[in-house]
Amino acid sequence: MAGDDDIESRGGRVKRNGYSNNNTSSSSAYASSSAYIIEDTDAQWTSWLVPMIVVANIAVFIVVMYVNNCPGHRHMRLVGNCVARFLGRFSFEPLRENPLFGPSSSTLKKLGALEWTEVVVKHQGWRLITCIWLHAGVIHLLANMLSLAFIGIRLEQQFGFVRVGIIYLLSGFGASVVSSLFIRNNISVGASGALFGLLGAMLSELITNWTIYTNKAAAFFTLLVIIAINLAIGILPHVDNFAHIGGFITGFLLGFVLLSRPQFGWLERQNLPAGTLIKSKYKPYQYVLWLVSLVLLVVGLTVALVMLFRGENGNDHCRWCRYLSCVSTSRWDCNGI
């Protein structure tokens, strides 16, 4: 989210002796409409990284609220009293200042929120990472952590903590870079970009492993609809859709690089008669997608970082891109966002 004051149990059916912002519904819909062809000996990973990330985000939010200390602000309050004052220094800012039940924007900025001036002018590049662990309020935190639990745990059970962890962190980083390129006037916090990276990786994993799926067309279109709906929500004001798009593209490319599955002939090689021609581990198109995606990912992040730290404004190179994040209507104006 952005604003001055705001801001996937392996799914499917196992076939014997053969070879499946922010969305709590995306993983279940995806899993129910797909089936994997896997070996009997292929065991699930135990998911521990994603739950740890959830716990870490909650812990960071508690620390942020402690630092915020709404009742201890010395300035005169013109927007109302703290909310849930029985929580003491953990009480929330007035709803007029933060309707998501959370800290002030100044506290978020002090603790690592993403802001162009701090990153580029003051050379605080670490904010490209720290902002992923901050949330604007309880509502923001709950939405992201529920989505992460539903999507991330399923992916970690299928592919392990290393690959899912890389996708999560790099997607979050890519989201921050793209956001900083296009948004200069507001702060941005939250794990939404990293979550969109997991959604992007789910889509590219389905594409690159297309031949080992059943019900693949249904799974593909279901996932596309889920992604489209969530990106469309991003055109609302105070929602950092540039972070969503940056995270999605980064995760989509990383999915081709990290989530390819060996074809069935390779997995069954030990059961084949001696002298039988063994298939390649991966299909040719998987190698092509792997190479192209890796090149695009490295080049894209490099160019974006160079542009960012040279102080270039992405809107100067793409005049219409502002409509990807906010569209003005009779109810709101995007000029100040």
Side-chain angles (χ1 to χ4, degrees), residues 121-316:
V121 178
K122 298 183 180 180
H123 308 291
Q124 297 179 4
W126 48 269
R127 290 179 179 268
L128 296 169
I129 298 297
T130 57
C131 67
I132 306 171
W133 304 92
L134 298 172
H135 286 83
V138 173
I139 297 176
H140 189 202
L141 177 69
L142 286 176
N144 279 349
M145 293 305 100
L146 287 173
S147 298
L148 176 59
F150 275 95
I151 299 171
I153 289 177
R154 292 179 180 272
L155 279 177
E156 187 179 356
Q157 288 173 338
Q158 293 178 50
F159 297 102
F161 70 93
V162 174
R163 285 180 282 186
V164 171
I166 292 174
I167 292 172
Y168 182 86
L169 292 176
L170 282 184
S171 296
F173 177 76
S176 299
V177 172
V178 174
S179 176
S180 297
L181 273 175
F182 289 93
I183 297 178
R184 293 195 171 193
N185 300 323
N186 301 316
I187 67 171
S188 181
V189 296
S192 301
L195 287 169
F196 267 86
L198 295 181
L199 279 175
M202 288 172 65
L203 181 61
S204 55
E205 186 270 328
L206 176 60
I207 294 172
T208 194
N209 299 319
W210 189 260
T211 58
I212 68 171
Y213 279 92
T214 61
N215 299 327
K216 45 199 171 189
F220 179 75
F221 287 111
T222 298
L223 196 52
L224 277 185
V225 169
I226 291 167
I227 293 168
I229 291 174
N230 282 275
L231 287 175
I233 293 174
I235 66 175
L236 295 173
H238 303 298
V239 179
D240 187 357
N241 215 26
F242 286 118
H244 296 170
I245 294 170
F248 174 80
I249 294 174
T250 304
F252 183 72
L253 295 175
L254 282 169
F256 288 121
V257 175
L258 297 176
L259 303 185
S260 294
R261 295 177 184 270
Q263 58 179 317
F264 179 62
W266 172 266
L267 295 173
E268 288 290 303
R269 66 191 184 281
Q270 294 178 344
N271 301 325
L272 296 176
T276 302
L277 181 63
I278 300 176
K279 296 181 180 180
S280 172
K281 185 174 183 179
Y282 298 103
K283 291 183 176 294
Y285 78 87
Q286 290 178 303
Y287 287 110
V288 172
L289 288 173
W290 181 90
L291 180 60
V292 172
S293 298
L294 182 61
V295 171
L296 288 176
L297 181 65
V298 173
V299 172
L301 283 178
T302 301
V303 171
L305 284 170
V306 170
M307 290 177 61
L308 175 60
F309 287 104
R310 287 178 58 183
E312 296 190 33
N313 190 335
N315 295 291
D316 295 336

Side-chain angles (χ1 to χ4, degrees), residues 5-16:
D5 298 325
D6 41 56
I7 15 224
E8 181 187 325
S9 165
R10 174 168 273 130
R13 304 180 302 277
V14 178
K15 296 185 177 180
R16 281 212 166 269

